[in-house]
Amino acid sequence: MNIDLAVIGGSGLYSFPGLENATRHSVDTPFGPASGDVVIGDFAGKRVAFMARHGESHTVPPHRVNYRANLWALHSLGARTVIGVNAVGGIRADMGPRVIVVPDQVIDYTHGRYTSFCDIEGAEVKHIDFSEPYTEALRRRLIVAAGRAGVPVLDGGCYGATQGPRLETRAEIARMRRDGCDLVGMTGMPEAVLARELDIAYACLALVANFAAGCGDEAEISIEEIFAHLAAATAEVPRILAELLKS
């Protein structure tokens, strides 16, 4: 099956606006069920596949997402280029609510997740190079596409992946800042490394929903405000991806 681009939608992105002639595909994987069906249709003159990382009703928490099944399902249908759309908190001062970032580095603080396809019996053990966790050529294409779409994005930044589903403490965010993290999210890993194991070109569009704990003026982070900011940032995603597909 010919798929020009696959998109994994995070919190706030449960369907892909503008996807036409869509068909649904349920894929059996060696790793159990994926988060849901893969929806494939036409967008900007290309074939696009979409999957909601948390399920279409947001029923799968970040630490229970079957990342291996999700990537395997997309790959088995023909996806070789994937954009992960991730809701994040901003740590760096210029990464406040509604800002869109194309990160270039990751620090993984998660635990207990299946992080490799090598975990199944008889699988080849691959020691992949993960020095650059995102595909640089795809990152550059995303940034250029955003510029053509007139959508401001920040180039680069370190994504700190935490376990969730709870938000982080002030002390945890302070540690992450000392470690060099600019953003904090719950779904960036192991998605990126699994894509690398499958030789999938992968990049992240990180949508800042809020300042992380202790980084903004708010005494408490409001879930209602988070989703309002996410909705505003998410509305820009189809414009960026339409320009990406044109390139």
Side-chain angles (χ1 to χ4, degrees), residues 27-35 66 68-70 72-73:
V27 180
D28 292 327
T29 85
F31 309 99
S35 294
N66 193 338
R68 292 191 302 179
N70 289 354
W72 184 273

Side-chain angles (χ1 to χ4, degrees), residues 47-71:
R47 294 292 286 169
V48 172
F50 176 81
M51 173 183 284
R53 186 184 291 113
H54 299 285
E56 293 177 2
S57 300
H58 198 103
T59 54
V60 186
H63 66 300
R64 298 296 298 272
V65 171
N66 193 338
Y67 296 94
R68 292 191 302 179
N70 289 354
L71 268 299

Side-chain angles (χ1 to χ4, degrees), residues 144-159:
V144 170
R148 289 176 177 166
V151 179
V153 299
L154 293 182
D155 175 5
C158 182
Y159 180 126

Side-chain angles (χ1 to χ4, degrees), residues 92-133:
R92 210 169 82 188
D94 60 343
M95 295 184 178
R98 306 193 182 197
V99 170
I100 300 176
V101 185
V102 184
D104 62 348
Q105 277 297 324
V106 167
I107 298 178
D108 188 4
Y109 299 94
T110 66
H111 52 87
R113 302 184 183 188
Y114 289 108
T115 60
S116 174
F117 292 107
C118 303
D119 289 332
I120 62 172
E121 187 70 27
E124 177 190 357
V125 177
K126 293 183 178 180
H127 300 284
I128 61 167
D129 179 7
F130 205 54
S131 304
E132 305 298 330

Side-chain angles (χ1 to χ4, degrees), residues 178-200:
R178 292 193 297 270
D179 287 349
C181 295
D182 303 301
L183 301 164
V184 55
M186 303 172 188
T187 55
M189 287 290 285
E191 193 170 278
V193 71
L194 292 169
R196 180 65 53 84
E197 286 192 354
L198 291 175
D199 292 323
I200 290 173

